[in-house]
Amino acid sequence: MNISSYLGRAAALVPSQTAVIDLDAPGGRRTFTYGELWDRVRCTARGLVDLGLERGDRVALLSANSWEYLESFLAIATAGLVAVPLNTRLLAQETRHMLVDSGARLLIAQQQQLADKPQLMELPELGAVLIRPDGELPPGSIGFEALAAATPMAAVNLRVETLMSLMYTSGTTGLPKGVMLSHGAWSVVADQVQRYLSYEGLERTVHAAPLTHGSGFLVLPTIAVGGVNVLCARFQPSIVLDLFVREGVTNGFFVPSMIRMMLDEAGAHAGPFGSLRTLYYAGSPIDASMLKMAVDRFGPVLVQSFAQMESPMFLSVLDREDHQRVAAGDGKLRGTAGRPVIGARLRIVGDDNKEVPFGEVGEIVASAGQTMLGYWNRAEATAETLRGGWLYTGDLGRIDADGYLYVVDRKKDMIISGGSNVYAREVEEVLLGHPQVSDSAVIGLPHAKWGEMVVAVLVSRDGCQADTGALEAFCREKLPDYRRPKQFIWVDALPRNPYGKILKRELRERLSATITPKPPVTTKLACSN
């Protein structure tokens, strides 16, 4: 098999139908039909081979969402090469690590990205293809259109377990690791998206989040149903809301912070959003009040999934109906990540690797068809994570008697205070329910008596901070004593990596030097990303 067959099939069935709309192409909006895109992809694949690349060679992609990115990704697959998507928000040293670690032979990049990271061009034996070049090309590089000038080639036929991509982890606990995903894994995810996002013919999928991460997994299923991939170079809430109406967008992938920004903007937007059928989000849950606001404003369109890049997108799903139950006040489902999807098995195990009873917390382990082949050149980390056919996620959770999964914390972020386990995520969700808190991170800091004390780092809503007494009273109503934060720290923004994950290790390092154990207080700290 080869995942480029999704495009080949669509080109055969609906060659004149629009496949891609790039809203930010030079000169304005640019569209491609399925027939045009398939011809270009096969020509670009041949161009890659003519550069001397051989099956299995790694090709890195460094670009904002664009038709060139999408074409390159599919051409890499067509030629039997391996894609290495790189987040454009990464620092130069992080990007360099991924290029060196993956052994990439070619970098396809927007020229501006290389202008911001000139040291990438200093890597030996790394060729460069520049997207939308401006001015004279740097030595050793060629323009993107030169690739597509070749004659088309047929897609290479591959086994389902053949490596398709190296997707680098966010690196919150160390150097990013390359997650090896096969053609088969990408195909499984495409099938899951069609099932759980209820894809129909003529889907119009907006890509406002980076194609290098979650949004990229919606490309193939959109192609599979002959739909349109609508590309935005960057996320702007007002523009996305306008696209819901102007382009008849039916679905898209978002992270909770993007939904929050759209809700803040939606009050001034006319709406309604009649064509929108799915607001799919992942990465973290959203608090109940925000969920209700989203259902009220956009309708019964929310779908959430739990997974990680090691087994991407769908291990469990909270569907539209369950979201409506939460919005209607069903406290039982508050904070759940839904139930396991078809084809995935989830277990909750203790430190002895035995399953714990329903309702008890342990590590979430999973078995699914889209699970990674392993970590690139990381045999020890692979052996630790993949054991006996199961993926050990490093997430702590519980499953109730009805099969609903609740993710309570990262295993490495659990706080042990006075001998009791405190799950930061559960405390964070309580704090997000306070009307003056817009973002929260809960960490444990060393304490002579308790071992660790619970500290809440908060971002205020509209600059209006709650006082200590109000926060203490709020927490007393909702949390037992050992889970209540002993200190409250207000910051302008929480430090996050380019994937949007809170850098708790950085918070612990920065706060350990400034915080001393004392009675509950509220502190203002200059701590931002």
Side-chain angles (χ1 to χ4, degrees):
M1 74 163 297
N2 188 313
I3 60 169
S4 67
S5 63
Y6 283 86
L7 177 58
R9 179 178 180 274
L13 295 176
V14 288
S16 60
Q17 194 157 294
T18 300
V20 177
I21 300 173
D22 187 340
L23 297 171
D24 299 299
R29 174 192 180 103
R30 185 167 180 181
T31 66
F32 294 88
T33 67
Y34 274 101
E36 291 169 339
L37 183 62
W38 183 225
D39 286 344
R40 285 193 59 95
V41 163
R42 288 182 294 147
C43 290
T44 301
R46 173 64 70 185
L48 292 171
V49 172
D50 288 348
L51 289 177
L53 296 173
E54 300 177 351
R55 190 179 302 185
D57 281 346
R58 276 76 62 205
V59 179
L61 296 168
L62 184 63
S63 169
N65 292 355
S66 64
W67 64 264
E68 294 98 332
Y69 177 97
L70 192 150
E71 180 181 307
S72 298
F73 184 86
L74 293 168
I76 290 167
T78 301
L81 306 170
V82 178
V84 186
L86 302 173
N87 191 319
T88 58
R89 295 177 61 195
L90 293 172
L91 299 175
Q93 59 265 34
E94 295 172 305
T95 305
R96 189 182 191 282
H97 161 74
M98 294 175 185
L99 289 171
V100 172
D101 184 72
S102 67
R105 290 192 56 197
L106 184 71
L107 173 63
I108 301 177
Q110 288 179 319
Q111 188 164 9
Q112 183 58 51
Q113 295 295 329
L114 290 183
D116 295 339
K117 304 176 177 72
Q119 56 268 63
L120 301 184
M121 292 299 293
E122 299 170 2
L123 293 172
E125 299 184 9
L126 178 67
V129 174
L130 298 189
I131 295 172
R132 305 176 186 178
D134 182 18
E136 185 177 350
L137 294 172
S141 66
I142 62 172
F144 182 79
E145 285 301 319
L147 286 181
T151 57
M153 66 174 285
V156 175
N157 191 28
L158 304 165
R159 299 173 66 89
V160 294
E161 65 270 22
T162 301
L163 179 62
M164 169 53 220
S165 64
L166 294 181
M167 312 291 288
Y168 275 83
T169 62
S170 56
T172 54
T173 57
L175 285 174
K177 299 184 288 291
V179 173
M180 297 190 291
L181 296 180
S182 67
H183 282 257
W186 278 87
S187 182
V188 169
V189 174
D191 291 345
Q192 290 177 334
V193 169
Q194 291 179 70
R195 177 192 293 270
Y196 293 104
L197 302 192
S198 305
Y199 269 27
E200 301 172 353
L202 300 180
E203 289 289 336
R204 298 178 77 86
T205 305
V206 65
H207 297 279
L211 289 171
T212 54
H213 209 56
S215 198
F217 287 99
L218 303 192
V219 170
L220 290 181
T222 301
I223 290 174
V225 297
V228 183
N229 284 291
V230 182
L231 308 180
C232 303
R234 61 191 180 96
F235 172 66
Q236 294 176 278
S238 59
I239 291 178
V240 173
L241 291 171
D242 181 59
L243 291 175
F244 287 166
V245 178
R246 176 164 54 88
E247 295 290 344
V249 165
T250 61
N251 77 93
F253 169 84
F254 302 90
V255 296
S257 60
M258 296 168 74
I259 296 177
R260 166 62 70 185
M261 286 186 277
M262 288 193 294
L263 285 172
D264 291 342
E265 188 76 29
H269 199 284
F273 310 105
S275 62
L276 185 65
R277 293 191 295 104
T278 307
L279 272 181
Y280 168 44
Y281 69 98
S284 64
I286 58 178
D287 64 273
S289 61
M290 178 176 159
L291 187 153
K292 186 178 187 308
M293 289 172 58
V295 171
D296 289 345
R297 190 66 181 94
F298 299 116
V301 299
L302 270 67
V303 176
Q304 177 201 352
S305 73
F306 163 76
Q308 55 185 207
M309 190 56 75
E310 287 83 347
S311 192
M313 305 314 281
F314 287 93
L315 290 174
S316 70
V317 65
L318 189 71
D319 61 23
R320 298 170 182 82
E321 291 73 21
D322 283 337
H323 274 90
Q324 291 182 75
R325 289 174 59 188
V326 177
D330 188 338
K332 177 182 180 299
L333 292 183
R334 183 171 179 174
T336 181
R339 289 187 276 200
V341 300
I342 295 172
R345 296 172 60 200
L346 298 180
R347 299 166 54 222
I348 307 295
V349 302
D351 292 337
D352 58 1
N353 205 32
K354 295 180 180 178
E355 285 194 59
V356 302
F358 284 125
E360 290 192 13
V361 173
E363 183 173 1
I364 304 168
V365 299
S367 175
Q370 71 270 29
T371 299
M372 67 174 180
L373 301 171
Y375 294 116
W376 178 258
N377 289 336
R378 298 286 197 281
E380 186 175 332
T382 298
E384 181 182 347
T385 304
L386 297 178
R387 288 179 261 159
W390 293 88
L391 170 71
Y392 284 71
T393 67
D395 285 312
L396 295 173
R398 57 185 174 84
I399 295 177
D400 68 17
D402 295 321
Y404 284 93
L405 172 69
Y406 297 78
V407 183
V408 300
D409 211 351
R410 285 293 293 170
K411 194 171 184 180
K412 293 179 180 179
D413 289 336
M414 187 179 73
I415 303 163
I416 302 177
S417 183
S420 298
N421 294 341
V422 178
Y423 303 114
R425 187 163 172 173
E426 293 183 336
V427 182
E428 289 162 357
E429 289 176 6
V430 167
L431 291 167
L432 286 171
H434 192 282
Q436 291 171 310
V437 175
S438 66
D439 206 359
S440 70
V442 171
I443 59 173
L445 293 182
H447 190 279
K449 179 179 180 181
W450 302 320
E452 288 183 293
M453 67 173 174
V454 181
V455 175
V457 187
L458 307 172
V459 178
S460 66
R461 193 182 306 282
D462 300 326
C464 184
Q465 300 175 11
D467 61 30
T468 305
L471 283 170
E472 288 178 354
F474 182 79
C475 291
R476 271 197 302 271
E477 292 179 1
K478 302 178 182 297
L479 294 168
D481 178 72
Y482 71 95
R483 293 187 195 171
R484 294 177 207 152
K486 300 302 183 285
Q487 295 205 27
F488 302 95
I489 300 170
W490 293 98
V491 298
D492 295 328
L494 295 175
R496 296 178 183 271
N497 67 16
Y499 298 95
K501 293 184 179 180
I502 297 172
L503 296 172
K504 291 192 174 182
R505 179 179 58 179
E506 180 179 321
L507 278 178
R508 283 190 287 265
E509 290 173 352
R510 294 168 72 173
L511 298 181
S512 291
T514 60
I515 300 298
T516 56
K518 51 186 143 181
V521 296
T522 300
T523 306
K524 183 73 172 74
L525 183 73
C527 177
S528 61
N529 57 350

